[in-house]
Short mmCIF file of all heavy atoms in Angstrom, two decimals:
data_model
loop_
_atom_site.label_atom_id
_atom_site.label_comp_id
_atom_site.label_asym_id
_atom_site.label_seq_id
_atom_site.Cartn_x
_atom_site.Cartn_y
_atom_site.Cartn_z
N MET A 2 -1.64 -9.01 -11.48
CA MET A 2 -1.82 -8.16 -10.32
C MET A 2 -2.68 -8.88 -9.28
O MET A 2 -3.80 -9.26 -9.55
CB MET A 2 -2.56 -6.88 -10.68
CG MET A 2 -1.66 -5.87 -11.33
SD MET A 2 -2.49 -4.32 -11.76
CE MET A 2 -3.46 -3.94 -10.32
N ALA A 3 -2.08 -9.09 -8.16
CA ALA A 3 -2.83 -9.76 -7.09
C ALA A 3 -2.10 -9.54 -5.78
O ALA A 3 -0.92 -9.14 -5.77
CB ALA A 3 -2.97 -11.25 -7.35
N VAL A 4 -2.82 -9.81 -4.72
CA VAL A 4 -2.16 -9.78 -3.41
C VAL A 4 -2.01 -11.22 -2.93
O VAL A 4 -2.59 -12.16 -3.49
CB VAL A 4 -2.95 -8.93 -2.38
CG1 VAL A 4 -3.14 -7.51 -2.89
CG2 VAL A 4 -4.29 -9.57 -2.05
N LYS A 5 -1.26 -11.36 -1.86
CA LYS A 5 -0.99 -12.69 -1.31
C LYS A 5 -1.09 -12.62 0.21
O LYS A 5 -0.67 -11.64 0.82
CB LYS A 5 0.43 -13.11 -1.72
CG LYS A 5 0.75 -14.54 -1.41
CD LYS A 5 2.13 -14.90 -1.97
CE LYS A 5 2.46 -16.32 -1.54
NZ LYS A 5 3.85 -16.67 -1.84
N ILE A 6 -1.65 -13.66 0.79
CA ILE A 6 -1.76 -13.74 2.25
C ILE A 6 -0.59 -14.59 2.76
O ILE A 6 -0.36 -15.70 2.29
CB ILE A 6 -3.12 -14.34 2.65
CG1 ILE A 6 -4.23 -13.36 2.25
CG2 ILE A 6 -3.16 -14.62 4.16
CD1 ILE A 6 -5.64 -13.88 2.45
N THR A 7 0.11 -14.05 3.74
CA THR A 7 1.33 -14.70 4.21
C THR A 7 1.07 -15.51 5.49
O THR A 7 -0.05 -15.49 6.02
CB THR A 7 2.43 -13.66 4.47
OG1 THR A 7 1.98 -12.76 5.48
CG2 THR A 7 2.73 -12.88 3.21
N ASP A 8 2.10 -16.16 5.98
CA ASP A 8 1.89 -17.08 7.10
C ASP A 8 1.73 -16.41 8.46
O ASP A 8 1.67 -17.08 9.48
CB ASP A 8 3.01 -18.12 7.14
CG ASP A 8 4.39 -17.52 7.36
OD1 ASP A 8 4.48 -16.29 7.62
OD2 ASP A 8 5.38 -18.27 7.28
N THR A 9 1.65 -15.08 8.46
CA THR A 9 1.34 -14.39 9.71
C THR A 9 -0.17 -14.27 9.91
O THR A 9 -0.64 -13.75 10.91
CB THR A 9 1.96 -12.99 9.78
OG1 THR A 9 1.53 -12.23 8.66
CG2 THR A 9 3.48 -13.08 9.80
N CYS A 10 -0.94 -14.79 8.95
CA CYS A 10 -2.41 -14.78 9.03
C CYS A 10 -2.86 -15.54 10.26
O CYS A 10 -2.37 -16.63 10.55
CB CYS A 10 -2.97 -15.43 7.77
SG CYS A 10 -4.75 -15.73 7.82
N ILE A 11 -3.81 -14.95 11.00
CA ILE A 11 -4.33 -15.58 12.21
C ILE A 11 -5.72 -16.17 11.99
O ILE A 11 -6.42 -16.49 12.94
CB ILE A 11 -4.37 -14.58 13.38
CG1 ILE A 11 -5.23 -13.36 13.06
CG2 ILE A 11 -2.94 -14.17 13.77
CD1 ILE A 11 -5.50 -12.45 14.27
N SER A 12 -6.12 -16.29 10.71
CA SER A 12 -7.39 -16.97 10.36
C SER A 12 -8.60 -16.31 11.03
O SER A 12 -9.51 -17.00 11.49
CB SER A 12 -7.34 -18.46 10.74
OG SER A 12 -6.23 -19.07 10.15
N CYS A 13 -8.60 -14.98 11.04
CA CYS A 13 -9.69 -14.29 11.73
C CYS A 13 -10.92 -14.11 10.85
O CYS A 13 -11.98 -13.72 11.31
CB CYS A 13 -9.22 -12.92 12.19
SG CYS A 13 -8.99 -11.73 10.87
N ASP A 14 -10.77 -14.33 9.55
CA ASP A 14 -11.86 -14.22 8.57
C ASP A 14 -12.28 -12.79 8.23
O ASP A 14 -13.23 -12.61 7.45
CB ASP A 14 -13.12 -14.99 9.01
CG ASP A 14 -12.94 -16.49 8.91
OD1 ASP A 14 -11.88 -16.95 8.39
OD2 ASP A 14 -13.84 -17.23 9.33
N ALA A 15 -11.62 -11.80 8.79
CA ALA A 15 -12.05 -10.41 8.56
C ALA A 15 -11.99 -10.01 7.10
O ALA A 15 -12.80 -9.22 6.62
CB ALA A 15 -11.19 -9.45 9.38
N CYS A 16 -11.08 -10.57 6.35
CA CYS A 16 -10.91 -10.18 4.95
C CYS A 16 -11.94 -10.82 4.02
O CYS A 16 -12.23 -10.28 2.95
CB CYS A 16 -9.51 -10.53 4.47
SG CYS A 16 -9.10 -12.29 4.65
N LEU A 17 -12.46 -11.96 4.40
CA LEU A 17 -13.25 -12.76 3.46
C LEU A 17 -14.42 -11.99 2.87
O LEU A 17 -14.64 -11.99 1.66
CB LEU A 17 -13.75 -14.04 4.13
CG LEU A 17 -12.67 -15.08 4.51
CD1 LEU A 17 -13.32 -16.27 5.18
CD2 LEU A 17 -11.89 -15.50 3.29
N ASP A 18 -15.21 -11.34 3.72
CA ASP A 18 -16.41 -10.65 3.26
C ASP A 18 -16.10 -9.29 2.66
O ASP A 18 -16.99 -8.65 2.10
CB ASP A 18 -17.42 -10.48 4.41
CG ASP A 18 -18.05 -11.81 4.77
OD1 ASP A 18 -18.03 -12.72 3.94
OD2 ASP A 18 -18.55 -11.92 5.90
N GLU A 19 -14.87 -8.84 2.80
CA GLU A 19 -14.54 -7.48 2.31
C GLU A 19 -14.10 -7.48 0.85
O GLU A 19 -14.10 -6.44 0.21
CB GLU A 19 -13.41 -6.88 3.16
CG GLU A 19 -13.77 -6.70 4.63
CD GLU A 19 -14.96 -5.78 4.81
OE1 GLU A 19 -15.07 -4.80 4.05
OE2 GLU A 19 -15.80 -6.06 5.71
N CYS A 20 -13.76 -8.62 0.33
CA CYS A 20 -13.23 -8.66 -1.04
C CYS A 20 -14.35 -8.47 -2.07
O CYS A 20 -15.27 -9.29 -2.13
CB CYS A 20 -12.52 -9.98 -1.27
SG CYS A 20 -11.87 -10.10 -2.95
N PRO A 21 -14.25 -7.44 -2.90
CA PRO A 21 -15.31 -7.19 -3.88
C PRO A 21 -15.36 -8.23 -5.00
O PRO A 21 -16.37 -8.33 -5.71
CB PRO A 21 -14.98 -5.79 -4.42
CG PRO A 21 -13.52 -5.63 -4.18
CD PRO A 21 -13.22 -6.41 -2.91
N THR A 22 -14.29 -8.97 -5.18
CA THR A 22 -14.26 -9.96 -6.25
C THR A 22 -14.32 -11.39 -5.72
O THR A 22 -14.13 -12.34 -6.50
CB THR A 22 -12.98 -9.78 -7.11
OG1 THR A 22 -11.83 -9.95 -6.27
CG2 THR A 22 -12.93 -8.41 -7.75
N GLU A 23 -14.56 -11.52 -4.41
CA GLU A 23 -14.65 -12.84 -3.78
C GLU A 23 -13.46 -13.74 -4.14
O GLU A 23 -13.62 -14.90 -4.50
CB GLU A 23 -15.99 -13.51 -4.15
CG GLU A 23 -17.19 -12.71 -3.68
CD GLU A 23 -18.53 -13.38 -3.96
OE1 GLU A 23 -18.54 -14.42 -4.65
OE2 GLU A 23 -19.55 -12.86 -3.48
N SER A 24 -12.30 -13.13 -4.05
CA SER A 24 -11.07 -13.84 -4.44
C SER A 24 -10.41 -14.62 -3.33
O SER A 24 -9.45 -15.36 -3.58
CB SER A 24 -10.06 -12.82 -5.01
OG SER A 24 -10.59 -12.18 -6.14
N ILE A 25 -10.88 -14.43 -2.09
CA ILE A 25 -10.17 -15.04 -0.94
C ILE A 25 -10.93 -16.26 -0.44
O ILE A 25 -12.15 -16.23 -0.26
CB ILE A 25 -10.05 -14.01 0.21
CG1 ILE A 25 -9.42 -12.71 -0.28
CG2 ILE A 25 -9.20 -14.61 1.34
CD1 ILE A 25 -9.45 -11.56 0.74
N VAL A 26 -10.21 -17.33 -0.23
CA VAL A 26 -10.78 -18.52 0.39
C VAL A 26 -9.94 -18.91 1.61
O VAL A 26 -8.75 -18.54 1.70
CB VAL A 26 -10.87 -19.71 -0.57
CG1 VAL A 26 -11.86 -19.43 -1.70
CG2 VAL A 26 -9.51 -20.10 -1.12
N ASP A 27 -10.55 -19.65 2.51
CA ASP A 27 -9.80 -20.04 3.71
C ASP A 27 -8.93 -21.27 3.43
O ASP A 27 -8.94 -21.81 2.33
CB ASP A 27 -10.73 -20.22 4.92
CG ASP A 27 -11.67 -21.40 4.77
OD1 ASP A 27 -11.43 -22.28 3.93
OD2 ASP A 27 -12.65 -21.44 5.55
N ASN A 28 -8.24 -21.69 4.45
CA ASN A 28 -7.28 -22.78 4.26
C ASN A 28 -7.95 -24.08 3.83
O ASN A 28 -7.37 -24.88 3.09
CB ASN A 28 -6.47 -23.00 5.53
CG ASN A 28 -7.31 -23.05 6.77
OD1 ASN A 28 -8.29 -22.31 6.90
ND2 ASN A 28 -6.99 -23.92 7.70
N ASP A 29 -9.19 -24.30 4.26
CA ASP A 29 -9.89 -25.53 3.87
C ASP A 29 -10.15 -25.59 2.37
O ASP A 29 -10.27 -26.67 1.79
CB ASP A 29 -11.24 -25.64 4.59
CG ASP A 29 -11.06 -25.93 6.08
OD1 ASP A 29 -9.99 -26.51 6.43
OD2 ASP A 29 -11.96 -25.60 6.87
N GLU A 30 -10.27 -24.41 1.75
CA GLU A 30 -10.58 -24.37 0.32
C GLU A 30 -9.38 -23.96 -0.53
O GLU A 30 -9.53 -23.71 -1.74
CB GLU A 30 -11.76 -23.41 0.07
CG GLU A 30 -13.04 -23.91 0.72
CD GLU A 30 -14.22 -23.00 0.43
OE1 GLU A 30 -14.31 -22.47 -0.69
OE2 GLU A 30 -15.03 -22.80 1.34
N ASN A 31 -8.21 -23.88 0.09
CA ASN A 31 -7.02 -23.49 -0.66
C ASN A 31 -6.71 -24.57 -1.71
O ASN A 31 -6.43 -25.71 -1.37
CB ASN A 31 -5.83 -23.35 0.31
CG ASN A 31 -4.59 -22.81 -0.36
OD1 ASN A 31 -4.40 -22.99 -1.57
ND2 ASN A 31 -3.75 -22.18 0.43
N PRO A 32 -6.75 -24.18 -3.00
CA PRO A 32 -6.53 -25.19 -4.06
C PRO A 32 -5.11 -25.74 -4.08
O PRO A 32 -4.87 -26.78 -4.70
CB PRO A 32 -6.86 -24.42 -5.34
CG PRO A 32 -6.67 -22.99 -5.01
CD PRO A 32 -7.04 -22.85 -3.55
N THR A 33 -4.16 -25.08 -3.43
CA THR A 33 -2.78 -25.59 -3.42
C THR A 33 -2.59 -26.65 -2.33
O THR A 33 -1.57 -27.33 -2.31
CB THR A 33 -1.76 -24.46 -3.17
OG1 THR A 33 -1.87 -24.02 -1.81
CG2 THR A 33 -1.99 -23.29 -4.12
N GLY A 34 -3.56 -26.76 -1.43
CA GLY A 34 -3.44 -27.72 -0.34
C GLY A 34 -2.67 -27.19 0.85
O GLY A 34 -2.58 -27.86 1.88
N GLU A 35 -2.08 -26.00 0.72
CA GLU A 35 -1.35 -25.42 1.84
C GLU A 35 -2.34 -24.98 2.92
O GLU A 35 -3.45 -24.58 2.65
CB GLU A 35 -0.55 -24.20 1.38
CG GLU A 35 0.65 -24.52 0.53
CD GLU A 35 1.35 -23.25 0.09
OE1 GLU A 35 0.78 -22.52 -0.72
OE2 GLU A 35 2.46 -23.00 0.59
N ASP A 36 -1.89 -25.05 4.15
CA ASP A 36 -2.75 -24.70 5.28
C ASP A 36 -2.68 -23.20 5.56
O ASP A 36 -2.18 -22.77 6.61
CB ASP A 36 -2.31 -25.51 6.52
CG ASP A 36 -3.32 -25.35 7.67
OD1 ASP A 36 -4.50 -25.05 7.41
OD2 ASP A 36 -2.90 -25.54 8.84
N ILE A 37 -3.15 -22.45 4.59
CA ILE A 37 -3.11 -20.97 4.68
C ILE A 37 -4.23 -20.41 3.80
O ILE A 37 -4.65 -21.07 2.84
CB ILE A 37 -1.72 -20.45 4.23
CG1 ILE A 37 -1.53 -18.98 4.61
CG2 ILE A 37 -1.49 -20.68 2.75
CD1 ILE A 37 -0.11 -18.49 4.41
N TYR A 38 -4.69 -19.22 4.14
CA TYR A 38 -5.71 -18.57 3.30
C TYR A 38 -5.10 -18.27 1.93
O TYR A 38 -3.90 -18.06 1.80
CB TYR A 38 -6.20 -17.29 3.97
CG TYR A 38 -7.21 -17.52 5.08
CD1 TYR A 38 -7.01 -18.55 6.00
CD2 TYR A 38 -8.32 -16.73 5.22
CE1 TYR A 38 -7.90 -18.75 7.03
CE2 TYR A 38 -9.24 -16.92 6.26
CZ TYR A 38 -9.02 -17.94 7.17
OH TYR A 38 -9.91 -18.16 8.17
N PHE A 39 -5.98 -18.22 0.92
CA PHE A 39 -5.50 -18.16 -0.46
C PHE A 39 -6.21 -17.08 -1.23
O PHE A 39 -7.43 -16.90 -1.11
CB PHE A 39 -5.74 -19.53 -1.13
CG PHE A 39 -5.40 -19.59 -2.58
CD1 PHE A 39 -4.09 -19.83 -2.99
CD2 PHE A 39 -6.39 -19.46 -3.57
CE1 PHE A 39 -3.77 -19.90 -4.35
CE2 PHE A 39 -6.07 -19.53 -4.91
CZ PHE A 39 -4.77 -19.76 -5.30
N VAL A 40 -5.48 -16.34 -2.05
CA VAL A 40 -6.06 -15.34 -2.93
C VAL A 40 -5.99 -15.83 -4.37
O VAL A 40 -4.89 -16.19 -4.85
CB VAL A 40 -5.32 -13.99 -2.80
CG1 VAL A 40 -5.90 -12.97 -3.77
CG2 VAL A 40 -5.40 -13.47 -1.36
N ASN A 41 -7.11 -15.86 -5.05
CA ASN A 41 -7.15 -16.25 -6.45
C ASN A 41 -6.56 -15.11 -7.30
O ASN A 41 -7.15 -14.05 -7.45
CB ASN A 41 -8.59 -16.52 -6.86
CG ASN A 41 -8.70 -17.02 -8.29
OD1 ASN A 41 -7.77 -16.86 -9.08
ND2 ASN A 41 -9.83 -17.61 -8.61
N ALA A 42 -5.39 -15.36 -7.85
CA ALA A 42 -4.71 -14.31 -8.62
C ALA A 42 -5.39 -14.02 -9.94
O ALA A 42 -5.11 -13.00 -10.57
CB ALA A 42 -3.26 -14.72 -8.85
N ASP A 43 -6.26 -14.89 -10.38
CA ASP A 43 -6.98 -14.64 -11.64
C ASP A 43 -8.11 -13.65 -11.48
O ASP A 43 -8.53 -13.02 -12.45
CB ASP A 43 -7.56 -15.97 -12.18
CG ASP A 43 -6.47 -16.91 -12.64
OD1 ASP A 43 -5.39 -16.46 -13.04
OD2 ASP A 43 -6.72 -18.14 -12.57
N THR A 44 -8.61 -13.52 -10.26
CA THR A 44 -9.75 -12.60 -10.05
C THR A 44 -9.38 -11.38 -9.19
O THR A 44 -10.03 -10.35 -9.30
CB THR A 44 -10.94 -13.34 -9.42
OG1 THR A 44 -10.53 -13.97 -8.21
CG2 THR A 44 -11.49 -14.39 -10.37
N CYS A 45 -8.39 -11.50 -8.33
CA CYS A 45 -7.96 -10.34 -7.54
C CYS A 45 -7.42 -9.27 -8.46
O CYS A 45 -6.55 -9.54 -9.31
CB CYS A 45 -6.87 -10.74 -6.55
SG CYS A 45 -6.10 -9.33 -5.71
N ASP A 46 -7.92 -8.05 -8.31
CA ASP A 46 -7.44 -6.92 -9.13
C ASP A 46 -6.75 -5.86 -8.28
O ASP A 46 -6.62 -4.71 -8.69
CB ASP A 46 -8.60 -6.32 -9.94
CG ASP A 46 -9.66 -5.68 -9.05
OD1 ASP A 46 -9.52 -5.77 -7.81
OD2 ASP A 46 -10.62 -5.11 -9.59
N GLU A 47 -6.31 -6.29 -7.08
CA GLU A 47 -5.69 -5.36 -6.12
C GLU A 47 -6.61 -4.22 -5.78
O GLU A 47 -6.18 -3.14 -5.41
CB GLU A 47 -4.33 -4.85 -6.62
CG GLU A 47 -3.27 -5.95 -6.75
CD GLU A 47 -1.90 -5.43 -7.14
OE1 GLU A 47 -1.75 -4.22 -7.35
OE2 GLU A 47 -0.98 -6.26 -7.24
N CYS A 48 -7.92 -4.45 -5.93
CA CYS A 48 -8.93 -3.44 -5.66
C CYS A 48 -8.75 -2.19 -6.53
O CYS A 48 -9.03 -1.06 -6.09
CB CYS A 48 -8.96 -3.08 -4.18
SG CYS A 48 -9.76 -4.33 -3.16
N GLY A 49 -8.33 -2.42 -7.75
CA GLY A 49 -8.18 -1.30 -8.68
C GLY A 49 -7.20 -0.28 -8.15
O GLY A 49 -6.07 -0.63 -7.83
N ASP A 50 -7.62 0.96 -8.10
CA ASP A 50 -6.73 2.03 -7.65
C ASP A 50 -6.88 2.32 -6.17
O ASP A 50 -6.28 3.27 -5.66
CB ASP A 50 -7.01 3.32 -8.43
CG ASP A 50 -6.62 3.19 -9.89
OD1 ASP A 50 -5.68 2.41 -10.19
OD2 ASP A 50 -7.25 3.84 -10.74
N ASN A 51 -7.70 1.52 -5.49
CA ASN A 51 -7.94 1.79 -4.08
C ASN A 51 -7.00 0.97 -3.20
O ASN A 51 -6.33 0.05 -3.66
CB ASN A 51 -9.39 1.42 -3.74
CG ASN A 51 -10.37 2.22 -4.58
OD1 ASN A 51 -10.24 3.43 -4.69
ND2 ASN A 51 -11.33 1.52 -5.16
N VAL A 52 -6.97 1.31 -1.92
CA VAL A 52 -6.23 0.49 -0.96
C VAL A 52 -6.92 -0.87 -0.90
O VAL A 52 -8.15 -0.93 -0.80
CB VAL A 52 -6.23 1.15 0.43
CG1 VAL A 52 -5.54 0.23 1.45
CG2 VAL A 52 -5.55 2.50 0.38
N PRO A 53 -6.16 -1.96 -0.99
CA PRO A 53 -6.81 -3.27 -0.95
C PRO A 53 -7.71 -3.42 0.27
O PRO A 53 -7.29 -3.22 1.41
CB PRO A 53 -5.62 -4.23 -0.89
CG PRO A 53 -4.53 -3.51 -1.60
CD PRO A 53 -4.72 -2.05 -1.23
N ALA A 54 -8.97 -3.77 0.02
CA ALA A 54 -9.95 -3.86 1.11
C ALA A 54 -9.57 -4.95 2.09
O ALA A 54 -9.82 -4.82 3.30
CB ALA A 54 -11.33 -4.13 0.51
N CYS A 55 -8.99 -6.02 1.59
CA CYS A 55 -8.59 -7.10 2.48
C CYS A 55 -7.53 -6.64 3.46
O CYS A 55 -7.59 -6.93 4.66
CB CYS A 55 -8.06 -8.30 1.68
SG CYS A 55 -6.78 -7.88 0.49
N ALA A 56 -6.56 -5.87 2.98
CA ALA A 56 -5.49 -5.39 3.83
C ALA A 56 -6.01 -4.38 4.84
O ALA A 56 -5.53 -4.33 5.99
CB ALA A 56 -4.36 -4.79 2.99
N GLU A 57 -6.98 -3.60 4.41
CA GLU A 57 -7.55 -2.61 5.32
C GLU A 57 -8.28 -3.31 6.48
O GLU A 57 -8.29 -2.83 7.60
CB GLU A 57 -8.52 -1.69 4.57
CG GLU A 57 -8.32 -0.27 4.91
CD GLU A 57 -9.01 0.69 3.95
OE1 GLU A 57 -9.83 0.26 3.11
OE2 GLU A 57 -8.71 1.85 4.05
N ALA A 58 -8.90 -4.45 6.19
CA ALA A 58 -9.65 -5.17 7.22
C ALA A 58 -8.76 -6.03 8.10
O ALA A 58 -9.17 -6.42 9.20
CB ALA A 58 -10.70 -6.06 6.55
N CYS A 59 -7.58 -6.33 7.64
CA CYS A 59 -6.71 -7.29 8.32
C CYS A 59 -6.08 -6.69 9.58
O CYS A 59 -5.45 -5.64 9.51
CB CYS A 59 -5.62 -7.76 7.37
SG CYS A 59 -4.52 -8.98 8.08
N PRO A 60 -6.21 -7.39 10.70
CA PRO A 60 -5.63 -6.86 11.96
C PRO A 60 -4.15 -7.17 12.11
O PRO A 60 -3.51 -6.67 13.04
CB PRO A 60 -6.44 -7.59 13.02
CG PRO A 60 -6.75 -8.92 12.40
CD PRO A 60 -6.97 -8.61 10.92
N THR A 61 -3.62 -7.96 11.20
CA THR A 61 -2.24 -8.40 11.36
C THR A 61 -1.32 -7.59 10.44
O THR A 61 -1.39 -7.72 9.22
CB THR A 61 -2.10 -9.90 11.04
OG1 THR A 61 -3.06 -10.61 11.80
CG2 THR A 61 -0.71 -10.41 11.37
N GLU A 62 -0.48 -6.77 11.03
CA GLU A 62 0.36 -5.85 10.26
C GLU A 62 1.25 -6.63 9.27
O GLU A 62 1.93 -7.57 9.66
CB GLU A 62 1.22 -5.04 11.22
CG GLU A 62 2.05 -3.97 10.52
CD GLU A 62 2.92 -3.23 11.54
OE1 GLU A 62 2.57 -3.26 12.74
OE2 GLU A 62 3.90 -2.62 11.13
N GLY A 63 1.18 -6.19 8.03
CA GLY A 63 2.07 -6.77 7.02
C GLY A 63 1.69 -8.16 6.55
O GLY A 63 2.44 -8.78 5.78
N CYS A 64 0.52 -8.62 6.94
CA CYS A 64 0.13 -10.00 6.58
C CYS A 64 -0.17 -10.15 5.11
O CYS A 64 0.14 -11.18 4.50
CB CYS A 64 -1.10 -10.38 7.41
SG CYS A 64 -1.78 -11.98 7.02
N ILE A 65 -0.79 -9.13 4.53
CA ILE A 65 -1.19 -9.21 3.11
C ILE A 65 -0.22 -8.37 2.29
O ILE A 65 -0.01 -7.18 2.58
CB ILE A 65 -2.65 -8.76 2.91
CG1 ILE A 65 -3.58 -9.62 3.79
CG2 ILE A 65 -3.03 -8.86 1.44
CD1 ILE A 65 -5.06 -9.26 3.71
N ILE A 66 0.37 -9.00 1.30
CA ILE A 66 1.42 -8.34 0.51
C ILE A 66 1.04 -8.31 -0.97
O ILE A 66 0.21 -9.10 -1.41
CB ILE A 66 2.78 -9.07 0.67
CG1 ILE A 66 2.69 -10.51 0.12
CG2 ILE A 66 3.23 -9.07 2.12
CD1 ILE A 66 4.03 -11.24 0.14
N PHE A 67 1.64 -7.40 -1.69
CA PHE A 67 1.49 -7.41 -3.15
C PHE A 67 2.34 -8.58 -3.69
O PHE A 67 3.55 -8.68 -3.40
CB PHE A 67 1.94 -6.09 -3.76
CG PHE A 67 1.02 -4.93 -3.44
CD1 PHE A 67 1.43 -3.89 -2.63
CD2 PHE A 67 -0.28 -4.91 -3.94
CE1 PHE A 67 0.57 -2.83 -2.33
CE2 PHE A 67 -1.13 -3.85 -3.65
CZ PHE A 67 -0.70 -2.81 -2.84
N ALA A 68 1.73 -9.44 -4.48
CA ALA A 68 2.42 -10.64 -4.94
C ALA A 68 3.63 -10.28 -5.80
O ALA A 68 4.66 -10.97 -5.73
CB ALA A 68 1.44 -11.53 -5.70
N ASP A 69 3.51 -9.24 -6.59
CA ASP A 69 4.62 -8.90 -7.49
C ASP A 69 5.85 -8.38 -6.76
O ASP A 69 6.96 -8.83 -6.99
CB ASP A 69 4.17 -7.85 -8.50
CG ASP A 69 3.28 -8.45 -9.59
OD1 ASP A 69 3.23 -9.69 -9.69
OD2 ASP A 69 2.66 -7.67 -10.34
N SER A 70 5.62 -7.43 -5.85
CA SER A 70 6.75 -6.78 -5.20
C SER A 70 7.14 -7.41 -3.88
O SER A 70 8.25 -7.22 -3.39
CB SER A 70 6.41 -5.30 -4.96
OG SER A 70 5.36 -5.18 -4.00
N GLY A 71 6.19 -8.11 -3.27
CA GLY A 71 6.43 -8.66 -1.94
C GLY A 71 6.32 -7.62 -0.84
O GLY A 71 6.59 -7.90 0.33
N GLU A 72 5.92 -6.40 -1.21
CA GLU A 72 5.78 -5.33 -0.22
C GLU A 72 4.42 -5.44 0.46
O GLU A 72 3.42 -5.79 -0.18
CB GLU A 72 5.90 -3.97 -0.90
CG GLU A 72 7.25 -3.68 -1.52
CD GLU A 72 8.33 -3.57 -0.46
OE1 GLU A 72 8.06 -2.98 0.59
OE2 GLU A 72 9.44 -4.10 -0.69
N PRO A 73 4.34 -5.09 1.74
CA PRO A 73 3.04 -5.09 2.44
C PRO A 73 2.08 -4.12 1.76
O PRO A 73 2.50 -3.05 1.31
CB PRO A 73 3.39 -4.61 3.84
CG PRO A 73 4.85 -4.81 3.99
CD PRO A 73 5.44 -4.70 2.63
N CYS A 74 0.79 -4.49 1.68
CA CYS A 74 -0.20 -3.60 1.07
C CYS A 74 -0.38 -2.34 1.91
O CYS A 74 -0.67 -1.27 1.37
CB CYS A 74 -1.53 -4.32 0.94
SG CYS A 74 -1.47 -5.73 -0.16
N ILE A 75 -0.27 -2.47 3.21
CA ILE A 75 -0.39 -1.32 4.11
C ILE A 75 0.79 -1.37 5.08
O ILE A 75 1.05 -2.40 5.69
CB ILE A 75 -1.71 -1.34 4.90
CG1 ILE A 75 -2.90 -1.17 3.96
CG2 ILE A 75 -1.73 -0.25 5.97
CD1 ILE A 75 -4.25 -1.22 4.66
N GLU A 76 1.49 -0.26 5.19
CA GLU A 76 2.58 -0.17 6.15
C GLU A 76 2.21 0.87 7.19
O GLU A 76 1.71 1.94 6.86
CB GLU A 76 3.89 0.22 5.47
CG GLU A 76 4.36 -0.87 4.50
CD GLU A 76 5.76 -0.58 3.99
OE1 GLU A 76 6.71 -0.74 4.78
OE2 GLU A 76 5.88 -0.19 2.84
N ASP A 77 2.46 0.55 8.43
CA ASP A 77 2.17 1.51 9.51
C ASP A 77 3.34 2.49 9.64
O ASP A 77 4.44 2.22 9.25
CB ASP A 77 1.96 0.78 10.83
CG ASP A 77 0.56 0.14 10.86
OD1 ASP A 77 -0.27 0.52 10.03
OD2 ASP A 77 0.35 -0.73 11.71
S1 SF4 B 15 -6.84 -6.82 -3.07
FE1 SF4 B 15 -9.06 -6.48 -3.25
S2 SF4 B 15 -9.64 -7.87 -4.92
FE2 SF4 B 15 -7.67 -8.60 -4.17
S3 SF4 B 15 -8.08 -10.13 -2.60
FE3 SF4 B 15 -7.86 -8.16 -1.56
S4 SF4 B 15 -9.93 -7.36 -1.38
FE4 SF4 B 15 -9.96 -8.96 -2.96
S1 SF4 B 16 -7.92 -10.52 7.77
FE1 SF4 B 16 -5.72 -10.98 7.79
S2 SF4 B 16 -5.40 -12.31 9.58
FE2 SF4 B 16 -7.61 -12.27 9.14
S3 SF4 B 16 -7.96 -14.06 7.81
FE3 SF4 B 16 -7.62 -12.30 6.45
S4 SF4 B 16 -5.40 -12.33 6.03
FE4 SF4 B 16 -5.76 -13.65 7.82
#
């Protein structure tokens, strides 16, 4: 269970401090080497039963998706 940040990310950093499990790193620290923000799937718990805090903070619609389903965490 984890979320994923997609290439519509505008690198605003709004999600970084909101994650309760500190699972998000920016592109400079992405362990895959890709130039995109990264969510550690080993520590992200999709915020338990709550709306993902990262998605709630994100200004870019549909940017953060559930990794399993590919569906946006928040749909307008
Ligand atoms: S869903 Fe929650 S735990 Fe996972 S990266 Fe987003 S804020 Fe962190
Ligand atoms: S809040 Fe959204 S747009 Fe901003 S850095 Fe995080 S994923 Fe990217």
Side-chain angles (χ1 to χ4, degrees):
M2 281 181 45
V4 303
K5 189 175 176 190
I6 294 174
T7 62
D8 62 7
T9 57
C10 171
I11 59 170
S12 305
C13 72
D14 287 355
C16 57
L17 292 180
D18 288 339
E19 298 300 323
C20 179
T22 59
E23 299 183 353
S24 299
I25 308 171
V26 294
D27 67 17
N28 48 321
D29 289 335
E30 296 182 38
N31 186 334
T33 71
E35 289 178 290
D36 189 24
I37 192 169
Y38 282 43
F39 176 83
V40 177
N41 183 343
D43 292 331
T44 55
C45 171
D46 65 357
E47 295 184 358
C48 284
D50 292 331
N51 301 312
V52 176
C55 52
E57 225 166 12
C59 181
T61 308
E62 185 181 339
C64 175
I65 302 179
I66 63 175
F67 290 112
D69 284 348
S70 67
E72 295 294 320
C74 296
I75 295 179
E76 295 189 73
D77 283 344

